[in-house]
Amino acid sequence: MQLRRQQKASVNRGFTLLELLVVMVIIGLLAAYVGPKYFSQVGKSEVKMAQAQIDALEKALHQYRLDVGGYPATEQGLTALVTRPNNEPRWQGPYLSKMPPADPWGRPYIYKYPGERSEFDLLSLGKDGQPGGEGEAADIKNW
């Protein structure tokens, strides 16, 4: 009978501190290995999202040009795709269902017409918000 009580007590004993520490070290090593790979994928998806948004804005601008006969002026900006510019009788919009989105980093896209590199320039300055850069910090542009 006393042997049974000792067996029950040893079964309900739980984990030792050493066992818990080993498990925590293993979890930490896994997090250190997987974490950077996960966060690099997040950065790549932001770049792809900016490229897709620039492509959609570019298509809306082309449709605007077909209807109006030219692209919106730099001063009018991308809002001309949603609200009719003053003195524009051929405007058939809206060309976007809502106001143009900010880039994935929360900054507005830069639009210039006439463009320096193509008919119009449309770009995001990337993650760092500065011209130029490499990788995730590189500018995303329509040319």
Side-chain angles (χ1 to χ4, degrees):
M1 180 118 160
Q2 185 156 354
L3 182 62
R4 272 198 172 153
R5 263 189 247 181
Q6 286 177 345
Q7 286 176 344
K8 270 188 175 180
S10 66
V11 169
N12 295 331
R13 196 177 65 164
F15 296 106
T16 64
L17 180 60
L18 182 61
E19 291 169 331
L20 289 174
L21 287 174
V22 167
V23 169
M24 289 175 60
V25 166
I26 291 171
I27 290 172
L29 289 172
L30 286 172
Y33 178 73
V34 173
K37 292 187 183 294
Y38 170 75
F39 288 112
S40 73
Q41 294 301 317
V42 170
K44 288 177 186 176
S45 67
E46 288 172 333
V47 170
K48 287 181 182 179
M49 173 69 97
Q51 289 169 336
Q53 288 176 338
I54 285 176
D55 185 50
L57 291 170
E58 196 173 20
K59 288 176 182 170
L61 285 162
H62 290 313
Q63 185 62 46
Y64 180 97
R65 180 185 56 88
L66 288 173
D67 290 346
V68 175
Y71 293 106
T74 302
E75 299 78 36
Q76 293 171 318
L78 298 174
T79 58
L81 299 173
V82 180
T83 58
R84 178 189 298 271
N86 293 337
N87 302 323
E88 194 52 72
R90 298 186 333 190
W91 190 83
Q92 300 290 318
Y95 301 95
L96 296 173
S97 59
K98 56 186 177 182
M99 289 303 286
D103 70 10
W105 302 279
R107 293 182 292 277
Y109 286 99
I110 299 170
Y111 170 74
K112 295 178 189 172
Y113 177 75
E116 297 172 9
R117 307 278 182 150
S118 62
E119 289 182 279
F120 60 87
D121 292 349
L122 183 61
L123 68 134
S124 165
L125 295 177
K127 185 175 185 175
D128 65 352
Q130 303 295 320
E134 294 180 11
E136 293 174 25
D139 298 347
I140 299 124
K141 33 199 168 193
N142 71 320
W143 65 87

